[in-house]
């Protein structure tokens, strides 16, 4: 088992999680390849995201718009902004071809907004492209455990 | 001295609670009224259950609800659609689970009673204990009356109400227009966003023909689209209109030039669709087909509200399901072109994701506004919900009444139907 790689991947993904919990969106937007996709599918078994309905399937332009919306103060569902604390763990490297590392992990996220606390668990799969000393995200697929259930508004980035 | 509108709500009859220009707050908050609605409305009129494309083949089924009663929508081997109460006639267990699927029969998991796709009771394990006294012919799954128009399937518990086509009346021509967004291909429901909000179902019913909220509630969405789209969606104060269509149905036309998607196809293709148009040309589609498909992708310029639970809303079906007096489930079903070009359907899917669903740029803000309506409605229980916008300019038409695009004409129409059914 390549524990050095796990450590490197974990350090990168913990940093990403921390950025999102603390609203460091400009840095988050820079963590992606230009062709990167941020995907939240409905069906947990789905693999053809392009040709199916997802909760989100954001390319670079949509990610930038999503970030702009969160900070705009124009959206009543995100004012006040929800507070989130997420834990990311159970990292497992699924593939590594030298250029791209595919890693799967578990994410447990608590959200609090106004007077309601919610809990979202998800399997998250990343495709990370190696760069000098770090990674860029090419795919982030968030499979919510309850994605097929009725959800309420998610006014932040999973 | 107190005026009529200050009367404590207990003193009002149901009929008193719906006036020409306002409805009483208790319509959002009173659990007893909600119980009556399940009986007098959802169990007494035509209720939408599915689009035909959701049950495409023999054995295809969809589980849904009429009011709070679970029903199975299923297509049998002769292609006939049945709507069956999802309740075994033995001791009531549901015989079908899962949102959608395909099956050959329905078998109760409790004692194994089995039913065919049309609901007939086929087999009962160990029948000898009944000594031939089981009336199998009487014990099929309860089958409701089902009728279809423009691919829209409706069911009712009532055998004595008017045929569906009469119930829909002038709404039918708007349904026909709405289906043109197949762009020459059959319409297909290709998934849906489901969400709940803590509020009464009629708050959502009202919203379908509420242009007034759009620029305010959807400001963040408008900030995320191009200038041409912003101008297209700047319809409050524009030439659009709301028209009552009878039986509680209404249509809000926001963008009159997009009523008939096949009209004026030679108009310039909007900038935001230039890339899609080019992709279609590259695939070999003729200019007219490209224009028809691109126009269809953009969706219709109107919202049709069909009482009580379905709307044909610009580019999707909005389905409303009451859960309790203070909770409602909404489905936003995406529409694609069955067999149409993948690039065009991908554009539809991405547009749906952009506005709709729990992570969309539109739905969560609607949901927040409705939640606040419900919260606010717990204050001042003798107060009224005001629905008099556009009343002054209302004029009769061949189909009903019309007023300006941000008039509350559609809501008034729905509440008059509510009153008719609730006091029947």
């Amino acid at each position: 088992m390549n524990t050095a790689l796990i450590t490197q991947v974990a350090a990168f993904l913990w940093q990403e999680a921390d950025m999102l919990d603390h609203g460091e969106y400009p840095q988050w937007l820079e963590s992606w390849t230009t062709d990167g996709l941020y995907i939240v599918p409905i069906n947990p078994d789905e693999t053809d995201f392009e040709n199916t309905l997802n909760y989100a399937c954001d390319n670079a332009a949509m990610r930038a718009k999503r970030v702009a919306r969160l900070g705009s103060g124009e959206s009543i569902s995100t004012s006040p902004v929800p507070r989130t604390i997420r834990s990311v763990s159970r990292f497992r490297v699924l593939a590594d071809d030298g250029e791209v590392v595919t890693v799967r992990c578990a994410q447990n996220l608590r959200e609090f907004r106004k007077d309601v606390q919610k809990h979202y668990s998800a399997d998250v799969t990343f495709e990370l492209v190696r760069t000098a000393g770090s990674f860029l995200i090419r795919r982030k697929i968030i499979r919510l455990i309850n994605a097929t259930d009725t959800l309420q508004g998610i006014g932040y980035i999973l | 001295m107190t005026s009529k509108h200050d009367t404590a709500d207990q003193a009002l009859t149901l009929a008193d609670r719906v006036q020409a220009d306002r409805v009483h707050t208790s319509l959002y908050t009173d659990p007893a009224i909600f119980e009556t609605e399940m009986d007098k409305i959802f169990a007494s009129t035509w209720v939408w259950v599915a689009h035909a494309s959701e049950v495409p083949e023999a054995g295809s089924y969809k589980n849904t609800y009429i009011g709070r009663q679970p029903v199975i929508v299923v297509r049998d081997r002769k292609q006939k659609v049945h709507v069956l109460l999802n309740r075994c006639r033995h001791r009531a267990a549901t015989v079908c689970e899962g949102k959608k699927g395909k099956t050959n029969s329905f078998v109760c998991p409790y004692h194994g009673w089995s039913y065919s796709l049309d609901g007939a009771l086929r087999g009962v394990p160990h029948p000898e204990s009944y000594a031939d006294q089981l009336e199998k012919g009487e014990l099929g799954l309860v089958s409701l009356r089902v009728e279809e128009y423009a691919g829209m399937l409706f069911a009712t518990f009532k055998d004595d109400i008017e045929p569906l086509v009469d119930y829909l009346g002038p709404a039918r021509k708007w349904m026909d227009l709405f289906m043109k967004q197949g762009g020459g291909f059959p319409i297909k429901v290709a998934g849906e966003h489901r969400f709940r909000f803590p509020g009464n179902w009629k708050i959502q019913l009202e919203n379908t023909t509420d242009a007034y909220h759009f620029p305010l509630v959807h400001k963040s969405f408008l900030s995320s689209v191009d200038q041409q789209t912003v101008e297209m969606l700047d319809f409050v104060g524009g030439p659009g209109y709301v028209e009552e269509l009878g039986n509680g149905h209404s249509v809000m036309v926001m963008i009159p030039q997009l009523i008939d998607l096949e009209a004026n196809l030679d108009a310039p293709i909007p900038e935001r669709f230039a890339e899609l148009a080019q992709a279609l040309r590259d695939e070999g589609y003729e200019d007219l087909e490209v224009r028809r498909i691109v126009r269809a992708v953009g969706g219709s310029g109107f919202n049709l509200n069909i009482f009580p639970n379905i709307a044909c809303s610009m580019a999707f079906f909005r389905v409303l399901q009451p859960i309790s007096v203070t909770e409602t489930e909404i489905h936003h079903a995406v529409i694609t072109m069955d067999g149409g070009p993948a690039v065009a359907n991908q554009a539809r899917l991405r547009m749906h994701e952009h506005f709709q669903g729990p992570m969309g740029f539109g739905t969560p803000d609607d949901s927040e506004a409705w939640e606040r309506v419900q919260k606010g409605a717990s204050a001042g229980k003798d107060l009224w919900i005001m629905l008099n916008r556009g009343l002054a300019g209302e004029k009769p038409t061949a189909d009903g009444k019309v007023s300006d695009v941000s008039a509350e004409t559609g809501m008034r129409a729905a509440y008059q139907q509510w009153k008719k059914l609730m006091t029947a």
Side-chain angles (χ1 to χ4, degrees):
Chain A
M1 188 168 282
N2 188 344
T3 51
L5 179 60
I6 287 277
T7 305
Q8 200 188 1
V9 161
F12 178 78
L13 296 181
W14 280 331
Q15 178 178 272
E16 195 239 5
D18 188 74
M19 278 179 196
L20 291 175
D21 281 344
H22 294 93
E24 295 171 19
Y25 298 121
Q27 296 94 312
W28 183 73
L29 289 174
E30 286 167 15
S31 312
W32 291 78
T33 63
T34 49
D35 64 346
L37 287 176
Y38 167 87
I39 301 163
V40 185
I42 297 174
N43 177 354
D45 301 323
E46 190 59 65
T47 53
D48 182 4
F49 308 113
E50 217 176 2
N51 292 299
T52 49
L53 184 69
N54 307 286
Y55 289 119
C57 185
D58 292 358
N59 58 16
M62 277 298 287
R63 283 194 301 277
K65 287 175 181 184
R66 192 175 292 281
V67 162
R69 178 172 178 271
L70 294 184
S72 68
E74 294 176 343
S75 151
I76 49 170
S77 65
T78 54
S79 317
V81 174
R83 298 182 64 195
T84 61
I85 294 179
R86 69 193 75 199
S87 299
V88 185
S89 188
R90 203 209 60 201
F91 301 102
R92 184 179 176 195
V93 173
L94 299 178
D96 178 11
D97 65 4
E99 274 182 46
V100 180
V101 182
T102 305
V103 57
R104 186 166 64 204
C105 58
Q107 171 169 292
N108 277 299
L109 182 153
R110 295 274 180 185
E111 167 210 338
F112 181 73
R113 179 173 179 269
K114 296 203 315 191
D115 49 3
V116 180
Q117 182 171 282
K118 293 179 197 158
H119 183 191
Y120 287 104
S121 295
D123 254 314
V124 188
T125 304
F126 287 91
E127 286 177 26
L128 303 175
V129 178
R130 281 194 165 88
T131 59
S134 185
F135 300 101
L136 286 174
I137 307 168
R138 191 172 76 183
R139 286 280 185 287
K140 179 178 180 183
I141 304 164
I142 301 114
R143 292 184 173 90
L144 289 167
I145 196 171
N146 56 339
T148 55
D149 198 1
T150 53
L151 303 178
Q152 295 196 350
I154 297 174
Y156 46 89
I157 292 169
L158 285 169
Chain B
M1 185 180 157
T2 55
S3 75
K4 181 174 167 189
H5 293 143
D6 295 326
T7 314
D9 61 347
Q10 291 87 341
L12 295 169
T13 66
L14 279 178
D16 288 338
R17 293 170 204 237
V18 175
Q19 304 286 325
D21 64 348
R22 65 190 70 193
V23 298
H24 196 260
T25 301
S26 56
L27 267 67
Y28 291 166
T29 58
D30 187 338
I33 290 179
F34 181 83
E35 291 303 319
T36 308
E37 287 171 340
M38 292 305 101
D39 179 33
K40 295 277 205 170
I41 296 175
F42 286 86
S44 300
T45 190
W46 287 106
V47 174
W48 184 87
V49 290
H51 184 264
S53 66
E54 294 181 274
V55 284
E57 296 161 10
S60 300
Y61 68 83
K62 169 191 177 182
N63 273 309
T64 186
Y65 290 84
I66 295 183
R68 286 171 304 185
Q69 304 194 45
V71 298
I72 312 162
V73 184
V74 59
R75 196 177 287 277
D76 72 14
R77 288 187 177 76
K78 293 173 185 163
Q79 298 299 317
K80 186 174 175 351
V81 175
H82 302 268
V83 175
L84 308 166
L85 291 193
N86 192 357
R87 172 197 164 121
C88 180
R89 294 299 302 279
H90 175 215
R91 299 239 296 275
T94 58
V95 297
C96 183
E97 292 282 314
K99 292 181 177 75
K100 278 173 194 169
K102 214 171 167 191
T103 188
N104 291 316
S105 62
F106 300 109
V107 181
C108 179
Y110 199 5
H111 304 96
W113 285 33
S114 64
Y115 302 87
S116 56
L117 296 176
D118 62 3
L121 178 60
R122 287 287 179 234
V124 174
H126 303 294
E128 56 281 359
S129 178
Y130 291 108
D132 294 329
Q133 287 172 17
L134 191 69
E135 301 276 0
K136 279 172 71 177
E138 304 292 309
L139 291 171
L141 299 175
V142 174
S143 184
L144 307 186
R145 188 176 159 203
V146 187
E147 291 178 20
E148 176 176 348
Y149 185 80
M152 308 276 280
L153 292 158
F154 293 76
T156 180
F157 285 88
K158 299 288 182 191
D159 290 327
D160 58 352
I161 62 170
E162 74 245 77
L164 177 68
V165 290
D166 295 345
Y167 175 67
L168 295 171
R172 280 178 294 157
K173 74 176 177 221
W174 293 97
M175 294 165 80
D176 293 338
L177 286 165
F178 189 77
M179 302 312 162
K180 288 194 179 188
Q181 59 195 294
F185 298 90
I187 291 261
K188 182 183 173 185
V189 168
E192 59 197 3
H193 287 140
R194 294 165 173 252
F195 67 100
R196 288 188 181 196
F197 74 95
N200 188 270
W201 63 279
K202 297 184 294 300
I203 297 169
Q204 151 74 96
L205 183 74
E206 294 167 12
N207 182 261
T208 294
T209 56
D210 184 334
Y212 200 17
H213 80 290
F214 200 92
L216 193 64
V217 170
H218 300 308
K219 198 168 193 299
S220 78
F221 173 76
L222 291 167
S223 293
S224 74
V225 296
D226 65 290
Q227 189 54 32
Q228 225 177 1
T229 306
V230 169
E231 284 163 20
M232 181 185 81
L233 294 173
D234 183 21
F235 42 70
V236 178
Y241 56 91
V242 181
E243 186 172 11
E244 178 193 319
L245 302 171
N247 290 337
H249 317 317
S250 60
V251 65
M252 171 176 72
V253 175
M254 297 86 84
I255 310 160
Q257 64 271 31
L258 294 177
I259 290 176
D260 183 348
L261 295 176
E262 289 179 331
N264 306 316
L265 279 178
D266 50 356
I269 289 175
E271 188 54 38
R272 66 185 178 286
F273 293 128
E275 209 175 311
L276 173 62
Q278 191 53 49
L280 291 166
R281 282 185 210 107
D282 293 346
E283 285 186 21
Y285 285 91
E286 297 295 328
D287 186 59
L288 185 64
E289 288 174 293
V290 170
R291 289 173 177 277
R292 181 179 290 128
I293 292 166
V294 166
R295 177 70 66 76
V297 165
S300 300
F302 61 86
N303 287 359
L304 172 67
N305 211 8
I306 300 174
F307 190 90
N309 76 324
I310 181 74
C312 298
S313 186
M314 290 192 87
F316 65 98
F317 294 122
R318 185 274 291 147
V319 187
L320 171 168
Q321 186 187 312
I323 305 293
S324 75
V325 66
T326 56
E327 189 168 22
T328 304
E329 184 166 319
I330 310 288
H331 303 163
H332 286 167
V334 67
I335 295 168
T336 55
M337 308 171 197
D338 196 4
V343 280
N345 283 333
Q346 287 161 7
R348 293 281 294 202
L349 292 163
R350 301 294 89 80
M351 285 166 61
H352 195 85
E353 289 159 358
H354 189 166
F355 192 94
Q356 316 295 346
M359 297 187 75
F361 289 22
T363 298
D365 295 323
D366 276 326
S367 188
E368 175 83 7
W370 306 333
E371 181 174 345
R372 286 172 65 165
V373 170
Q374 189 70 38
K375 187 177 175 186
S378 60
K381 67 179 198 172
D382 55 341
L383 296 178
W384 293 73
I385 306 297
M386 297 307 298
L387 298 167
N388 54 341
R389 189 172 167 82
L391 190 58
E394 219 164 58
K395 295 182 183 71
T397 63
D399 293 336
K401 289 176 203 159
V402 71
S403 192
D404 67 88
V405 69
S406 69
E408 286 153 348
T409 301
M411 303 168 214
R412 291 191 286 274
Y415 281 112
Q416 289 306 317
Q417 180 72 2
W418 184 94
K419 183 173 172 173
K420 183 179 149 193
L421 291 170
M422 290 289 280
T423 58

